[in-house]
Structure formats: C-alpha cells, structure tokens
Amino acid sequence: MTHPFLDLPPLSAAHFASVEDRVAQMLGTEHDVVIMQGEALLPLEGAIRGTVGPGNTALNVITGPYGQTFGNWLRDCGATVIDLAVPFHTAVSAGQIREAFAEHPEIDFVSLVHAEAATGNTNPVAEIGEVVRERGALFYLDAVASVGAEPVLVDAWGVDLCVIGAQKAMGGPAGVSAVSVSARAWARMAANPRAPRRSYLSLLDWKERWLDGGRKVLPHAPAQLEMLALEACVERIEAQGLDAVMGRHRAAAAATRAGAVALGGGLEPYVHQAREAAPVATTLRTPAGVVASELVARALAADPALPLAAGGGALAKEMIRVNHYGPDARVEVVQGCLAALGAALADKGLAVDPEGARRAAQDAWR
C-alpha cells in the first residue's frame, strides 16, 4: 500500500538547491542562501552564535519580544550589548540608530527585527541599513514575519544576515527556514573561534559541506515534506505575484485598523502611527477594565478558527492581535474578527457599531 506523502522519491540535492535559488530571488539577493531544517529560531540563533563573540559590541534594537531574545543570545556569546529599546507602540528610527553609533563608535554588529508580529510594529530597514553600512557594522535582520507581507530587499538594504520563515505571510510550513549570508558574514564566522561547529546550529558546517562543494551532496537527509511544502508555497507566491501578495497584507492591515476604529467599544490601534504598523498583523488596545485575553476567549468561543490572539506576557491584559497573514489576509476574515470582537464587547455592555466596522473595513480594502 502506497501513500502520497510517505512514499515519495527522495529529494535530490539539485531539487534542494533549486528551492534555495527561488528563495534567494524572492529576497532580492545574490548572497548565499541556506535553507535550514527547523523552525526559524534555528538560523536566528545560529547566525548570532556564528558571528558574535567576546570583543564584539552589538547594538540590539528592541521593538518587541524577539529583540529581547536576541539580546540574551548576544550576551551569552560574550559580546558587549547595547540595547536600544523603544515603546512597543512605535518603531525605531534611523536617527536613533545614528545616535547610538555616535555614542558607541565601537559597535560592529546590529540586530533588528523587521516586523514584530507580536507587537504589530514594523521598522524602516532601508533607512537603518544606510546608517549601518556607513559605519561598517554587520547587519542582522529577522524578517520572519515581514517576508511576503512587505518588501524584504537584502542586497539593496545591505543586510548581511537575513532570516526568514514561511509560516506567516508566505502561508507555508514552519518546519524549515532560511538565512541569507553575505561574504562579510562568512568571513566573520570563519574568524570566530566560538562559532558552532559539528552542531545543528552551525552555518559554517553548511558552508563547508554543502556550499563549498557546489551543492552536490546534502549534508544530511532533508526534511522532505517541509521542503516540498516550501517549494509549493514559493510557487504559489510566484503565480500570484509577490506584489499582489504584499498588497493583500497591506489591505488587510488597513481594513483592520479602519474597522476597529469604526467598531468603537473603546478599541483602538495599539501602534499609534499607521506607517509604523506591520502589514502582517494588527494589534489593538482594549478599553480600560477589559482584559484582552478574556475578550479574545469570548470572541473565539463563537468561532475558534478566527486568527485572534491576546498579547504575550503582560500584554495579555491590554493587547489583541489580529493575525491577518497568509491565507487569512482576506477582507472576510478581517470582518469576521471585527464582528466577533464587537459581539464580545457588547456582551460586556459596551456600545459598538458592527455594521459600521464592516463597512469601514470594506471601504479601506484597496
């Protein structure tokens, strides 16, 4: 008895390499791209541990929880870490990056999250990249949430290490991820005696065993089903057109923001400025006295399939996330989320206008 998933022929090295090439094209890069066999935390950590050690000074930008995680890894590597934290309702600016360099000219590594799905903000990577290039620092970017929702232009922005995952805006699998690595980043790793070797975290192992050999022999058995799912995901984006996919995410964000304002009940956008709001997910602040996690639970009781979540940690009291990414970047999904939140707010005795929210979302969808 055969099975369509379990009895597929083995994935060849050439097939694996072709998927890497298509990911590189989507990122606008001529740098090496390595598809790693695990969720995006794998290359996110591997890239930091490969390039940073004692003697390095890292500027770690914190606009959400992932920036905090990167700071922990950087310190564990022995680097001197300068945290640049901004309120989660806003974005960091290139001016703030420039000021950090002026105060600490020894900075040689900058870590930044492009879009923080957890807090709903997005950072101006193009402008920040200009500043980092001027100072000659290595630029590390977490684009896991942003890729597919907004432009990610690795070479144009001067990004040395760019990590992506397919499970959000790309609408693909979570079990594989990718990192683009510049020649400068490879050189930094080669000179780092503490870079992981013979390790699942090791990018240098991939370089020596895969890239340097011309991508002829895979270093280990690939995660076959996840690789095929990633390929299908990329094919779907290519067929729809990357601009169209990003356009759906922009429209979903605009519709959610407009609909939430029209809904009333005390809901308001968590990220104050629309230009700083991520297209992958919209965060909303609940009114005083309303616990976000309880409101979300009430809304999901009516429809558990809605892409709604409360903020993590302390943010669970005040933040709601509408995760309108991938297949959920559709106007009817946005309207369904707003309707469920409106009903939950009405149950608490708050005045809401669900029809007004529906119309506002529809009108904002462009």
Side-chain angles (χ1 to χ4, degrees):
M1 179 179 175
T2 62
H3 191 284
F5 290 150
L6 300 181
D7 299 314
L8 293 168
L11 191 74
S12 68
H15 195 167
F16 192 106
S18 72
V19 179
E20 287 182 333
D21 292 341
R22 292 165 84 169
V23 171
Q25 184 175 11
M26 189 171 65
L27 295 177
T29 186
E30 295 184 2
H31 296 166
D32 291 325
V33 169
V34 176
I35 296 178
M36 299 191 77
Q37 307 295 278
E39 200 269 339
L41 281 172
L42 172 62
L44 285 170
E45 183 174 359
I48 282 180
R49 295 196 182 277
T51 51
V52 176
N56 293 124
T57 300
L59 175 63
N60 179 51
V61 181
I62 301 176
T63 57
Y66 280 98
Q68 294 169 330
T69 297
F70 300 160
N72 293 336
W73 288 339
L74 289 163
R75 289 182 177 86
D76 191 52
C77 289
T80 299
V81 181
I82 298 155
D83 286 326
L84 173 55
V86 302
F88 289 175
H89 64 257
T90 187
V92 72
S93 71
Q96 289 171 298
I97 302 294
R98 193 178 298 278
E99 290 172 5
F101 272 108
E103 188 173 348
H104 302 278
E106 69 275 17
I107 292 169
D108 58 9
F109 185 93
V110 176
S111 54
L112 176 72
V113 178
H114 187 183
E116 285 269 13
T119 50
N121 54 39
T122 191
N123 292 301
V125 182
E127 292 86 347
I128 291 170
E130 289 183 13
V131 178
V132 178
R133 274 200 307 275
E134 289 172 7
R135 300 298 182 133
L138 212 66
F139 192 13
Y140 164 100
L141 184 69
D142 171 355
V144 174
S146 57
V147 65
E150 53 188 308
V152 177
L153 304 172
V154 169
D155 291 2
W157 294 346
V159 180
D160 293 288
L161 294 155
C162 182
V163 176
I164 68 165
Q167 69 267 33
K168 288 189 167 64
M170 289 176 65
V176 289
S177 48
V179 55
S180 64
V181 187
S182 71
R184 292 198 323 145
W186 283 129
R188 179 80 70 92
M189 286 185 217
N192 179 11
R194 295 180 54 159
R197 302 307 308 270
R198 293 166 295 282
S199 164
Y200 206 56
L201 288 171
S202 177
L203 284 167
L204 283 175
D205 287 357
W206 275 96
K207 183 178 189 303
E208 292 183 0
R209 299 178 60 193
W210 172 241
L211 297 173
D212 291 351
R215 301 191 298 178
K216 301 297 185 184
V217 179
L218 285 162
H220 53 70
Q224 171 145 318
L225 296 182
E226 288 81 359
M227 285 296 298
L228 293 174
L230 176 61
E231 181 181 43
C233 161
V234 173
E235 286 177 347
R236 184 169 61 184
I237 291 172
E238 290 171 347
Q240 294 177 1
L242 182 57
D243 287 343
V245 174
M246 292 190 295
R248 281 195 297 108
H249 286 83
R250 286 195 303 272
T256 304
R257 195 174 181 91
V261 171
L263 180 63
L267 278 187
E268 58 184 29
Y270 192 88
V271 177
H272 294 178
Q273 302 295 324
R275 71 176 185 279
E276 296 177 344
V280 70
T282 297
T283 48
L284 305 171
R285 189 184 298 275
T286 54
V290 176
V291 177
S293 57
E294 295 175 359
L295 193 71
V296 167
R298 188 179 292 264
L300 291 177
D303 186 352
L306 292 173
L308 291 170
L315 294 175
K317 294 181 179 179
E318 64 180 22
M319 179 192 286
I320 293 170
R321 288 204 326 266
V322 183
N323 295 316
H324 44 65
Y325 53 70
D328 288 326
R330 293 180 287 124
V331 68
E332 56 268 30
V333 173
V334 170
Q335 290 172 329
C337 289
L338 293 169
L341 290 173
L345 287 166
D347 287 345
K348 288 187 169 292
L350 296 168
V352 293
D353 182 4
E355 179 57 25
R358 188 196 66 77
R359 289 196 306 269
Q362 186 67 58
D363 292 344
W365 189 275
R366 295 286 185 271

